Amino acid sequence: MIPPPPPRPSPWLAAGLAAVLWLAATLPAAGDTTVRASLEPSVIGLGETAVFTVEVKGTGFGSVSFRPQFELDNLEMVSAPARSEDVSLDGTHLSRSFRISWRLRPLAVGKARVRSLRLQLGGEQLQMRDREITVQEAPTGQTGEAPDAESAESEDPFERFFGAPLLQPRQQPARQQAVFLRAETQPQRPWVGQQVLYTVYLFTRQDINSVAARDLPTFRGFWVRDVPQPQHLPTVMVPVGGEMYARVVVFQKALFPLRPGHYVLEPAAVDLITRVPEERFFGPAFLRPEQLLLRTPAMPIDVQPLPPPPPGFAGAVGQLALASHVEPPQLRLGEAATLTLTLSGRGNVQGVAEPRVAAPAGLRIFPPQQQGEESVAGTAVEGKRTWSYVVIPDRPGHAVLQIPRIPYFDPQAGQYRQAAAPPIELTILPPAAPAAPAGASAAGTAAATARAFNPRIDWRDWPRLLPWLVALPCGIALLVTLARRRRHHPLPLTATATPGTAAALEQRLREAADEPRPRQAACRLETAWREFLAARWEIPPGTPAARWGEMLRARGADPAAADALAELAGDLHYLRYAPQLSAADTLGAEALTRSRQLCRRLR
């Protein structure tokens, strides 16, 4: 067999090799080098990204080696840097460009910058100026696009020398992120005690297989309540930057700020698995799973202080109403009635002290039993506080119970209001006289007397004895309950402990020490200090506790004691409204000890 002739080289390949050899022989090995850094676009929205690019351009065939170093303000990296290289020929001048690009995501609204930019180029270190952009709340649709490193590496090397191919590919428009998170608060400038709805939304243009929360903000300085979400989350289509996205609520929290000031909620992180379409050369595209970690930007919140409160304000914020009821409205002397007051509505009613119902002449009112509960209606937290008083008459007649008003702050109207209930009327009848049997014969009376003194019991009369058998244990339980309640009832001040004196304050402190409930004990301590400061230092009772120290110093009190009382007032406020009550007993004991020490210093 005759072997086939060897293949003949292609004329195009030979021409290309000849051109490369000619360029290598005629062009210089290295030339001038220029450096450029950019951060684009200049304005972006939360959830969008910008691209920071460092480009080094030189002439000749020599390779360029550089290493950038920089720091980020209000920005974080989204992915690994993309690298690309371009070669161009202008007449007899050959230039090469090397680029490294980072995709950056903003963390909060405001200014964002790349600073302290240093570039190690060969044996020389260059210091470059900072690059800055503006981050706004609304999306702009101008998300930066980094050069595609994969396409740069796969291009034809002969194309770098001989220009673009005959068929130019159509330029693709800048793409936005297919999946991103966004956190929102409503309202953005709440009052102290007003509900803030914190929502994390997922925006997507791809199929999502699973979503799981990884990191949540600590919500330090807020009382937090979860907002339940339906099993099947509703999807809303919304436009973002000219593209339609499916928006889904990932989770929601109801926040109640405890103190005024500026707060920053940390970013929330979510793990999710999405299905990404991947094009194939032959056949239709298929969906491949991809795992992503998404984060929201940090969320600033400015909490406004409440205006100067009216007398009797105890921290209730929301839209509230007060209801009253007494059962029975008519009773006989020797019986007891129950007065029930209910404060309810939208808002946080934790820590509201019981209303002090004044007892009119002929009635005794005992301290109430109280109950509290919260529920979530839609996205709003609704609270209810119920107080039950035992009312015992001392004489027959007609009595009217005046229900005290409860001041509260309405955040929608931005002003204080009062929750009121109408007066309660009670009718007290004389005790029922024992009725003698009409027309009873002497024999019947004697027989009844004999049965009364007969130690034998006729078990055929058990239906008549059954009510007494039931009433006896209930009466014993009622007596025990009244005895326990009487122990916590404020005692009348003694002759030496007149209102406003240090002796009166010490007696009120002893009453607070007997209170087993932390919130109510803190409320009693604060009320005792208000009475003492009003009488001893002429500070109005309605003065906010946060201003006690300032007004004491203005009236010539010991500055150190004034500052200590201001700090104590803040701790008492925390005890009344703090969500975490695990350490309330310890804090309450410390507050009582500090109150006794300050009592001796502010006599």
Side-chain angles (χ1 to χ4, degrees):
M1 265 185 88
I2 302 175
R8 304 177 65 181
S10 170
W12 291 104
L13 180 59
L17 292 176
V20 171
L21 295 176
W22 177 78
L23 286 172
T26 57
L27 294 180
D32 297 335
T33 301
T34 58
V35 180
R36 187 179 71 91
S38 63
L39 181 60
E40 296 176 344
S42 58
V43 179
I44 62 174
L46 283 176
E48 298 178 337
T49 58
V51 174
F52 174 60
T53 303
V54 176
E55 180 180 10
V56 177
K57 188 174 182 181
T59 59
F61 277 99
S63 62
V64 179
S65 174
F66 65 95
R67 183 176 60 189
Q69 297 178 357
F70 53 87
E71 297 180 6
L72 301 178
D73 286 346
N74 195 24
L75 293 169
E76 66 175 358
M77 293 186 184
V78 176
S79 59
R83 304 173 184 272
S84 61
E85 178 183 353
D86 290 335
V87 179
S88 60
L89 180 64
D90 182 12
T92 59
H93 297 282
L94 181 69
S95 63
R96 305 180 66 179
S97 298
F98 299 87
R99 288 189 300 270
I100 304 180
S101 301
W102 292 265
R103 188 180 297 277
L104 307 177
R105 177 192 294 129
L107 300 177
V109 175
K111 296 296 183 181
R113 64 178 57 86
V114 178
R115 60 180 179 87
S116 302
L117 177 57
R118 300 179 300 276
L119 194 68
Q120 188 71 31
L121 184 60
E124 182 181 2
Q125 186 175 36
L126 303 178
Q127 185 74 32
M128 306 183 68
R129 64 178 180 85
D130 298 345
R131 300 303 192 270
E132 184 178 88
I133 61 174
T134 302
V135 182
Q136 64 183 25
E137 177 71 23
T140 63
Q142 303 181 29
T143 303
E145 190 70 20
D148 192 344
E150 183 178 355
S151 62
E153 293 177 359
S154 61
E155 66 176 322
D156 187 354
F158 285 96
E159 180 182 328
R160 301 183 184 179
F161 298 104
F162 300 106
L166 295 178
L167 296 179
Q168 290 283 358
R170 183 168 57 92
Q171 185 177 4
Q172 297 292 331
R175 297 174 298 171
Q176 299 190 57
Q177 289 180 282
V179 184
F180 63 91
L181 288 181
R182 180 175 296 173
E184 296 181 1
T185 56
Q186 184 62 34
Q188 296 181 353
R189 298 189 72 248
W191 302 91
V192 172
Q194 181 184 3
Q195 176 181 329
V196 179
L197 184 62
Y198 175 80
T199 308
V200 173
Y201 290 105
L202 173 65
F203 293 80
T204 179
R205 289 189 286 114
Q206 296 177 350
D207 293 337
I208 304 297
N209 282 358
S210 64
V211 178
R214 171 182 287 194
D215 296 323
L216 296 179
T218 58
F219 302 114
R220 187 175 293 106
F222 295 84
W223 183 76
V224 185
R225 183 67 187 264
D226 290 329
V227 177
Q229 299 299 315
Q231 184 176 3
H232 300 286
L233 297 176
T235 302
V236 181
M237 300 302 296
V238 294
V240 178
E243 299 282 352
M244 295 301 295
Y245 282 79
R247 188 185 68 182
V248 180
V249 176
V250 179
F251 59 84
Q252 288 181 320
K253 302 282 186 180
L255 312 179
F256 293 88
L258 301 176
R259 293 185 177 90
H262 179 75
Y263 297 87
V264 177
L265 302 181
E266 301 91 340
V270 170
D271 288 310
L272 59 87
I273 298 178
T274 180
R275 291 186 293 175
V276 181
E278 187 170 296
E279 300 290 341
R280 293 188 297 180
F281 188 76
F282 295 102
F286 71 97
L287 299 176
R288 61 176 177 83
E290 182 178 355
Q291 185 172 359
L292 299 177
L293 172 61
L294 303 181
R295 292 184 182 273
T296 66
M299 180 62 59
I301 297 181
D302 290 315
V303 180
Q304 307 178 69
L306 297 180
F313 177 70
V317 178
Q319 291 82 41
L320 306 176
L322 182 65
S324 60
H325 175 71
V326 68
E327 183 63 34
Q330 179 175 305
L331 68 160
R332 292 187 178 275
L333 192 64
E335 299 177 347
T338 301
L339 171 65
T340 303
L341 302 182
T342 303
L343 180 68
S344 60
R346 290 193 171 187
N348 179 21
V349 295
Q350 290 284 347
V352 178
E354 68 268 14
R356 296 190 176 183
V357 182
L363 291 181
R364 286 183 296 161
I365 301 178
F366 293 88
Q369 285 278 14
Q370 60 181 342
Q371 294 179 343
E373 61 182 40
E374 288 84 26
S375 60
V376 180
T379 58
V381 174
E382 296 183 349
K384 179 188 291 185
R385 208 76 178 165
T386 303
W387 299 276
S388 299
Y389 303 79
V390 175
V391 181
I392 297 180
D394 291 335
R395 62 190 179 189
H398 185 77
V400 177
L401 293 174
Q402 299 292 337
I403 308 302
R405 298 170 179 264
I406 299 180
Y408 69 94
F409 182 76
D410 186 351
Q412 301 296 331
Q415 61 183 2
Y416 289 95
R417 301 184 185 275
Q418 289 187 337
I424 295 293
E425 296 185 358
L426 270 177
T427 302
I428 300 97
L429 303 176
S441 61
T445 302
T449 304
R451 286 196 303 268
F453 287 95
N454 188 357
R456 294 184 180 181
I457 298 177
D458 190 356
W459 295 105
R460 291 174 296 179
D461 294 339
W462 70 269
R464 181 173 57 85
L465 301 175
L466 182 60
W468 294 99
L469 295 176
V470 174
L472 183 60
C474 295
I476 295 174
L478 177 60
L479 291 176
V480 173
T481 302
L482 292 178
R484 290 181 177 178
R485 290 178 178 174
R486 185 184 295 271
R487 181 170 63 89
H488 301 299
H489 188 68
L491 300 175
L493 295 176
T494 62
T496 58
T498 57
T501 63
L505 177 58
E506 290 177 353
Q507 180 172 334
R508 293 306 188 203
L509 295 181
R510 289 193 295 271
E511 295 172 7
D514 293 336
E515 174 59 62
R517 298 164 296 182
R519 295 187 190 277
Q520 284 67 26
C523 182
R524 289 180 183 272
L525 287 175
E526 183 175 320
T527 303
W529 275 109
R530 288 186 184 276
E531 295 175 355
F532 174 77
L533 294 175
R536 171 65 178 84
W537 296 96
E538 298 180 355
I539 296 178
T543 302
R547 297 191 57 200
W548 286 354
E550 171 190 347
M551 300 190 72
L552 276 174
R553 286 191 297 270
R555 284 161 173 76
D558 179 14
D563 294 340
L565 182 60
E567 183 179 355
L568 173 64
D571 292 341
L572 292 177
H573 182 85
Y574 178 79
L575 275 174
R576 292 178 60 184
Y577 302 102
Q580 303 294 338
L581 294 179
S582 58
D585 294 338
T586 304
L587 293 177
E590 293 178 357
L592 188 61
T593 302
R594 291 157 59 191
S595 294
R596 288 169 176 163
Q597 295 172 352
L598 287 173
C599 176
R600 293 190 291 269
R601 300 171 62 183
L602 294 173
R603 289 178 181 270

